[in-house]
Amino acid sequence: MSPSATRRHLSDDRSARPRAGWLVVMCLMVAVMGAVVVFAAAWVLGGRAVSAPASVEALAPADGGVGSPATSAPAGASEPLVQADGTAQLPGALTTTTVHELRLEHLDDLKPLGWTVGHLVDFGFGFEPQRLETGVVDGVRTVELQLADGADRISVAETRSESEDVGLTSLREKLAPILDEDLVEHHRVTLGTGEGCDLFVSRAGDRWTAAVETDDAQYVITSNLAESSAEQVADWVMASDRARVQMLPTDPSARDRLARGLDELFRWND
């Protein structure tokens, strides 16, 4: 190779290397800009998630439309009970109490307020939310979420005290006076999550109710699914309860805000 050809070859190599370097730099810049956009969107969405309502009561509109006082729960129940036919009922009183229907989009608002039902759809069981209701008696509130998948239905009634000064009557105390053993079979089972569960199966074979309680919450789960699925559904609810505790916004730090925002962002893309 002649000296002039060699110089041209070396010159071509030097000119190619800068071009390749610029391509790498451009790719890095695009990646960085994309990450900045994603994190900026997550920051905005995370900020919205922090702006939670003060209470469940604040979610119920005072005037007409969905969310207005809709139905009265059966008399005689101060907290959710299991009726003799195995169904769950919302709280009532010696007279009656008003049950409010909430909009289904309020499920997201229930999450930062500490309600497990707000997370049930996130952790999935293949069912879609159909109706959301709430009622309160003597400082004890129940939120009930009804889900359906075609002809199959699941109802999850979650009960919590609205203040530390109000305690929950144990489920066993509430169940004892109303159970009719001629209509339901009672089984005591231990869930995969470790909690004890009272399972009531209608002798007619058309539904079952699972009753589970923790230190600060009670769950009454009713479904027309096969009895064999009862423990699996109850496990799903209690696993969601544990996940809820891990996701509660205990510290409004920048990291928490970004985490909530990224969760919202990726859910939009699902």
Side-chain angles (χ1 to χ4, degrees):
M1 182 181 293
S2 67
S4 61
T6 301
R7 284 194 296 273
R8 285 197 301 272
H9 179 70
L10 293 174
S11 177
D12 290 343
D13 285 346
R14 284 194 293 269
S15 62
R17 283 197 294 270
R19 284 199 295 270
W22 274 109
L23 285 175
V24 173
V25 172
M26 289 296 294
C27 289
L28 289 174
M29 290 179 63
V30 170
V32 170
M33 290 176 64
V36 170
V37 170
V38 169
F39 278 96
W43 183 262
V44 173
L45 291 173
R48 293 178 183 176
V50 172
S51 302
S55 66
V56 178
E57 192 68 31
L59 302 177
D63 50 8
V66 176
S68 63
T71 56
S72 293
S78 59
E79 294 165 24
L81 301 175
V82 180
Q83 299 177 4
D85 65 356
T87 62
Q89 67 184 44
L90 281 174
L94 294 179
T95 55
T96 58
T97 186
T98 300
V99 175
H100 295 266
E101 182 182 357
L102 305 178
R103 297 183 186 276
L104 291 175
E105 53 261 38
H106 286 319
L107 282 170
D108 280 341
D109 294 322
L110 292 173
K111 295 176 184 178
L113 293 175
W115 290 86
T116 297
V117 290
H119 295 277
L120 292 180
V121 179
D122 297 343
F123 301 109
F125 201 73
F127 281 68
E128 295 295 328
Q130 302 294 317
R131 189 178 180 88
L132 183 64
E133 296 178 319
T134 185
V136 61
V137 176
D138 299 330
V140 175
R141 179 175 293 280
T142 293
V143 177
E144 182 185 38
L145 175 63
Q146 299 173 20
L147 307 104
D149 178 18
D152 295 324
R153 302 180 304 278
I154 299 175
S155 169
V156 181
E158 179 180 358
T159 297
R160 295 180 180 274
S161 297
E162 295 208 300
S163 71
E164 295 181 356
D165 299 332
V166 180
L168 295 175
T169 304
S170 72
L171 281 174
R172 289 193 176 187
E173 288 184 49
K174 290 185 285 187
L175 298 175
I178 62 168
L179 288 177
D180 187 338
E181 294 184 359
D182 292 332
L183 297 177
V184 295
E185 295 180 1
H186 176 209
H187 308 284
R188 181 72 176 176
V189 298
T190 300
L191 301 178
T193 52
E195 292 86 359
C197 173
D198 287 291
L199 179 61
F200 304 91
V201 182
S202 169
R203 293 187 184 275
D206 59 344
R207 70 189 67 191
W208 51 261
T209 292
V212 192
E213 58 188 333
T214 66
D215 291 339
D216 54 5
Q218 296 173 338
Y219 300 93
V220 177
I221 310 156
T222 302
S223 179
N224 66 337
L225 289 168
E227 178 187 348
S228 59
S229 66
E231 289 188 44
Q232 183 181 4
V233 174
D235 273 329
W236 162 58
V237 172
M238 299 315 298
S240 299
D241 177 276
R242 293 189 176 187
R244 169 197 61 83
V245 173
Q246 295 175 355
M247 295 175 68
L248 282 175
T250 55
D251 181 14
S253 65
R255 183 181 63 181
D256 294 332
R257 177 169 176 171
L258 283 173
R260 283 191 293 269
L262 288 170
D263 177 65
E264 293 290 328
L265 187 63
F266 289 136
R267 269 200 306 126
W268 282 8
N269 292 327
D270 288 344

